[in-house]
Amino acid sequence: MKVLVIGGGAREHALCRALSLDPDVTALHCAPGNAGIAEVAELHAVDALDGAAVADLAASLGVGLVVVGPEAPLVAGVADAVRERGIPAFGPSAEAAQLEGSKAFAKDVMAAAGVPTARAYVCTTPAEIEEALDAFGAPYVVKDDGLAAGKGVVVTEDVEAARAHALACDRVVIEEFLDGPEVSLFAITDGETVVPLQPAQDFKRAHDGDEGPNTGGMGAYSPLPWADPELVDEVVATVCQPTVDELHRRGTPFSGLLYAGLAITSRGVRVIEFNARFGDPETQVVLARLKTPLAAVLLAAATGRLEAEPPLRWSDGAAVTVVVASHNYPDTPRTGDPITGLDAVAEQDGPKAYVLHAGTKRDGASGEVVSAGGRVLSITATGSDLAKARERAYRAVGRIGLEGSHHRSDIAAKAAADAAS
């Protein structure tokens, strides 16, 4: 099978790496890709938001599967355009992708499906915003209704900061704060059958100790030794399957990757948000532990045959990923800085630790790999347990040179210590 992956971040690098290791994949393409993806896939220049252009590329390459990575192309209907050309696409339709594209739509679906989530108000006027902030009190949770690349949410004790963020949004969802640890669970679905992956936990705040502003994610780990062994089954039964069933009932079946961001509260599991695609950086650790070849599973979801697939197989070990970010991220990041140490990681730490590229490109003049975004690299490592995976990840991080960069030093630290005690 020939496969085309759409996107150019660390999530797509993780997908491409997994697909490149699949013996059924005879040719791997990525558009637009990045400097790291170029090592495992042939890159193509395309506007990822242009469904017709993506479909034309897929047809010209003769691929048997298109995997749409990021949320913006999904909301723009890229998967629909590919399917209209008769090519299987892994990713929901534009209508179904509104589960991520609109927080208000997601709340409506959850209410109809009986999915447990935070109480919320959808606000479009300053008066409605004031009423919602007063109703819930601090800590305030304010979410831009539309896509915001993982940075449209403000959680704060400061009512002025909450009000300012709300007023800057065209439509905003203000909801009650959910206590308890957060968990990410991915589920692959063909619109009817739901197949869960292993849970992961990511770290949204920029700095150690969960301090600083929200980001797109600064690291992740899997498995979760502290989680209830029944958690995955419970989430499938109370969250994923009812949501998929409700969207099917509405005539907008959701086919692709359903991402449930969850809070394990004192009152039980609650949904914080849905995404319509693999999450970043959780994908990096989840796919690092997946032993089942990936292509056949994604194709089965894209063609409505997921029920016939055998159960997924997982490694018993652990995986940790640490994000190396550009100077000034998550504010306007500095780009164009040379990255060193990539070869050293490959030579001295591989294959147990490896670098997944996010915001990188190869400089045309010097040939160097340079930074080209906020989150630049995801250093991912596996091990027999979290402590070993964590040790390998941070050893590899230490080999990377990127002027002005920053990373968290506490990814999976508490979970590893708790598991060892």
Side-chain angles (χ1 to χ4, degrees):
M1 177 176 24
K2 298 178 181 179
V3 181
L4 170 62
V5 176
I6 302 301
R11 163 187 46 231
E12 288 76 35
H13 195 175
L15 286 163
C16 284
R17 180 181 183 274
L19 289 165
S20 74
L21 299 173
D22 188 333
D24 288 340
V25 176
T26 56
L28 183 59
H29 303 270
C30 186
N34 61 39
I37 295 173
E39 297 176 9
V40 295
E42 183 179 345
L43 301 191
H44 302 270
V46 75
D47 180 354
L49 298 177
D50 186 336
V54 171
D56 287 344
L57 176 62
S60 70
L61 295 172
V63 301
L65 175 66
V66 174
V67 180
V68 184
E71 61 272 25
L74 291 168
V75 172
V78 168
D80 303 82
V82 171
R83 280 191 280 266
E84 286 168 7
R85 295 290 288 272
I87 302 169
F90 181 82
S93 66
E95 278 192 283
Q98 285 302 305
L99 201 62
E100 177 171 4
S102 168
K103 304 290 191 300
F105 176 80
K107 288 291 186 183
D108 184 66
V109 170
M110 283 188 271
V115 170
T117 187
R119 292 181 298 120
Y121 292 99
V122 179
C123 307
T124 56
T125 68
E128 290 173 345
I129 289 167
E130 289 303 322
E131 184 180 348
L133 293 174
D134 288 343
F136 289 130
Y140 303 98
V141 181
V142 184
K143 300 181 176 181
D144 190 333
D145 180 56
L147 294 179
K151 296 188 285 291
V153 179
V154 166
V155 181
T156 179
E157 297 278 349
D158 183 349
V159 69
E160 292 300 329
R163 183 182 293 116
H165 183 64
L167 291 171
C169 303
D170 289 333
R171 185 159 76 152
V172 67
V173 175
I174 298 175
E175 63 185 39
E176 68 175 326
F177 177 77
L178 296 175
D179 64 321
E182 295 184 12
V183 173
S184 300
L185 185 71
F186 302 163
I188 293 172
T189 178
D190 58 8
E192 294 184 9
T193 300
V194 173
V195 175
L197 305 187
Q198 288 288 297
Q201 186 174 60
D202 79 330
F203 294 75
K204 289 293 188 193
R205 298 285 187 170
H207 307 307
D208 285 7
D210 290 328
E211 298 290 333
N214 262 353
T215 71
M218 294 299 292
Y221 69 93
S222 180
L224 312 180
W226 50 267
D228 188 325
E230 304 298 318
L231 176 64
V232 172
D233 290 342
E234 178 188 348
V235 173
V236 170
T238 63
V239 174
C240 299
Q241 192 69 59
T243 300
V244 168
D245 291 345
E246 172 61 19
L247 287 167
H248 190 273
R249 186 192 68 77
R250 293 180 179 212
T252 55
F254 187 104
S255 166
L257 195 288
L258 177 62
Y259 166 124
L262 310 163
I264 313 302
T265 77
S266 55
R267 294 167 292 143
V269 173
R270 297 289 186 271
V271 175
I272 299 171
E273 65 175 352
F274 282 128
N275 290 336
R277 39 70 191 181
F278 281 99
D280 181 344
E282 299 97 321
T283 300
Q284 289 86 300
V285 292
V286 171
L287 292 186
R289 298 185 56 226
L290 180 65
K291 295 174 71 173
T292 300
L294 185 61
V297 181
L298 300 186
L299 182 63
T303 54
R305 297 182 291 103
L306 198 54
E307 189 177 23
E309 285 296 299
L312 298 179
R313 295 180 294 111
W314 299 91
S315 74
D316 292 330
V320 171
T321 195
V322 179
V323 170
V324 175
S326 288
H327 174 73
N328 206 41
Y329 176 80
D331 292 327
T332 304
R334 190 175 75 203
T335 60
D337 289 314
I339 302 166
T340 61
L342 298 172
D343 290 340
V345 173
E347 293 166 6
Q348 300 180 51
D349 301 300
K352 298 294 187 182
Y354 48 88
V355 179
L356 297 171
H357 292 232
T360 71
K361 67 177 182 179
R362 194 167 290 278
D363 184 88
S366 67
E368 293 179 304
V369 176
V370 299
S371 61
R375 292 186 296 171
V376 181
L377 305 170
S378 285
I379 316 301
T380 304
T382 56
S384 55
D385 55 26
L386 281 176
K388 189 65 178 176
R390 191 171 180 280
E391 175 192 332
R392 286 174 174 158
Y394 278 103
R395 184 188 306 135
V397 169
R399 303 191 200 282
I400 298 296
L402 175 60
E403 186 179 348
S405 66
H406 64 97
H407 64 271
R408 285 185 57 158
S409 65
D410 61 348
I411 305 300
K414 184 177 186 303
D418 290 349
S421 62

